[in-house]
Amino acid sequence: MSQTPGIHDRFFKSRFSQIENMEGLLRGFLPETLSTSIDYETLEYLDTEKIGLSYEKSHLDLVLSACFAGSKVQIYLLFEHKSTHDPTIFLQLLRYMVALWHMDQENDRKPTVVLPFVVYHGSTRWHYPERFQEFCSVPDFMKPYALDFSPLVLDAGRISDEEIQKRAGHLGTAATLIAIKHIFDKTYQEYTIALEPMGADLDVRTFESVLEYFLIYRGIEDPDLARIIGEALNRREDMPNVIEKWMEAGREEGLKEGIQKSIEKFLLKTRLTPAEIASTLDVDLSWVLEIEKNLEKPSEDSAR
């Protein structure tokens, strides 16, 4: 499998940064009382870099603003894909909510309601408590006074493909959710079978995206196998363009791997700060900090 950092995040963000796909997600997978109260004409993305937590991200974040029954609401969408759950996820949600309220304060606005929404596609069932107070194990006598919130959670692995298509009501949304749901399947045939019912009807951009995601994640380097998958999805005519883009993406990932090794060497063998390394190599500081954090983690052998 691909060891490419952020491959799931980049796919998810590329797909759900398209407003029509996001609208399908919200219409189909929010509780009906919420999904029917949104004025979808008011949906707009906020710049997460301005919110102030980009330096410590361990998840992908998308933030939107919309009017719900006339009231402005911010939707904080967190994408979680780890096979083992991250125990800090409630704190991640809370930090981001506070950051959004801090932005309101700086702009002389009353705090805007924030709707935390987690989309999960890990290989195991989502098993966290529903409420923050349950996560913190708040005693009953303190519950009226302690902070509490309940994030909405979409566990894609627990919904059938047929139900996803029905609820999404949009092929781009359905294909994206089904693609992330089946990315961990054992064989390419399973992934292909999952997408085959909608394969011929997908727009070219969506088809190329879901296929490239699979090819890169699985590290498939055989163009003939890529063609077989494309033909099984009834998209033979689109395969030359997909293969060309996929091979170019592979070359770019190879370049990224080389840059990552350079960052690791700088961190281990120089006294440059992460900011200085980012400036020297012309890369995002958040990436350097993520690599530094991983280098500081003790190995399994040393932990024993």
Side-chain angles (χ1 to χ4, degrees):
M1 305 301 171
S2 172
Q3 298 302 312
T4 303
I7 184 172
H8 304 294
D9 288 345
R10 286 200 304 278
F11 173 71
F12 187 88
K13 186 171 186 178
S14 70
R15 300 298 304 143
F16 284 114
S17 291
Q18 299 175 40
I19 199 71
E20 64 273 16
N21 292 335
M22 178 61 72
E23 184 174 331
L25 179 68
L26 299 178
R27 284 186 184 277
F29 299 97
L30 289 182
E32 186 176 357
T33 53
L34 297 177
S35 65
T36 56
S37 69
I38 300 179
D39 179 356
Y40 289 95
E41 294 296 321
T42 65
L43 267 181
E44 62 177 343
Y45 293 94
L46 303 182
D47 184 356
T48 57
E49 295 301 317
K50 293 182 179 179
I51 295 172
L53 291 179
S54 59
Y55 66 91
E56 62 172 45
K57 280 184 183 177
S58 57
H59 307 81
L60 170 81
D61 307 291
L62 289 171
V63 183
L64 299 98
S65 174
C67 287
F68 284 65
S71 298
K72 187 175 181 180
V73 174
Q74 291 176 344
I75 304 167
Y76 170 41
L77 182 68
L78 184 148
F79 178 52
E80 171 61 60
H81 54 75
K82 296 176 182 177
S83 57
T84 57
H85 298 309
D86 184 348
T88 68
I89 195 165
F90 268 99
L91 300 180
Q92 167 77 5
L93 290 166
L94 184 57
R95 281 198 301 272
Y96 226 105
M97 292 162 71
V98 171
L100 288 167
W101 291 326
H102 183 65
M103 281 188 62
D104 285 334
Q105 184 181 43
E106 288 184 334
N107 289 282
D108 296 321
R109 297 190 299 256
K110 291 183 178 180
T112 306
V113 176
V114 178
L115 182 66
F117 184 20
V118 179
V119 177
Y120 172 69
H121 81 129
S123 55
T124 58
R125 181 183 292 271
W126 179 267
H127 65 259
Y128 276 134
E130 291 186 1
R131 307 197 66 87
F132 183 68
Q133 287 192 357
E134 295 171 3
F135 171 73
C136 294
S137 300
V138 178
D140 286 343
F141 73 94
M142 293 189 66
K143 286 183 178 179
Y145 314 103
L147 175 70
D148 194 20
F149 66 92
S150 180
L152 300 166
V153 178
L154 167 58
D155 185 348
R158 307 283 78 82
I159 306 176
S160 71
D161 295 352
E162 293 75 17
E163 183 69 11
I164 288 174
Q165 290 186 60
K166 178 181 177 182
R167 290 173 61 176
H170 183 274
L171 278 177
T173 303
T176 301
L177 291 175
I178 290 173
I180 63 173
K181 172 185 174 180
H182 289 282
I183 195 64
F184 302 122
D185 285 350
K186 294 179 181 178
T187 68
Y188 76 85
Q189 290 97 332
E190 291 173 302
Y191 187 82
T192 305
I193 290 170
L195 290 169
E196 189 276 331
M198 64 184 76
D201 298 322
L202 295 176
D203 63 273
V204 173
R205 184 178 180 183
T206 299
F207 169 71
E208 291 180 352
S209 184
V210 298
L211 187 54
E212 288 170 16
Y213 173 48
F214 177 77
L215 295 174
I216 294 171
Y217 175 72
R218 288 304 180 95
I220 295 175
E221 299 179 353
D222 184 355
D224 290 333
L225 180 54
R227 289 189 183 92
I228 290 172
I229 297 172
E231 289 175 1
L233 295 174
N234 302 305
R235 301 299 290 257
R236 179 182 301 181
E237 71 281 1
D238 296 315
M239 287 313 298
N241 191 39
V242 171
I243 291 173
E244 181 180 343
K245 286 187 176 181
W246 158 57
M247 294 180 73
E248 178 60 31
R251 287 191 287 269
E252 289 179 1
E253 293 303 338
L255 176 61
K256 185 170 183 177
E257 184 177 349
I259 295 173
Q260 178 170 337
K261 289 180 180 178
S262 296
I263 293 172
E264 291 172 353
K265 288 180 181 179
F266 273 111
L267 289 168
L268 292 171
K269 298 183 179 182
T270 74
R271 294 187 179 183
L272 293 175
T273 66
E276 290 170 335
I277 295 170
S279 177
T280 300
L281 297 177
D282 193 23
V283 297
D284 285 341
L285 175 58
S286 60
W287 187 23
V288 179
L289 290 170
E290 179 183 355
I291 294 171
E292 180 184 47
K293 183 178 179 181
N294 290 334
L295 287 174
E296 291 174 351
K297 290 180 179 177
S299 66
E300 291 185 3
D301 291 337
S302 63
R304 291 172 183 169

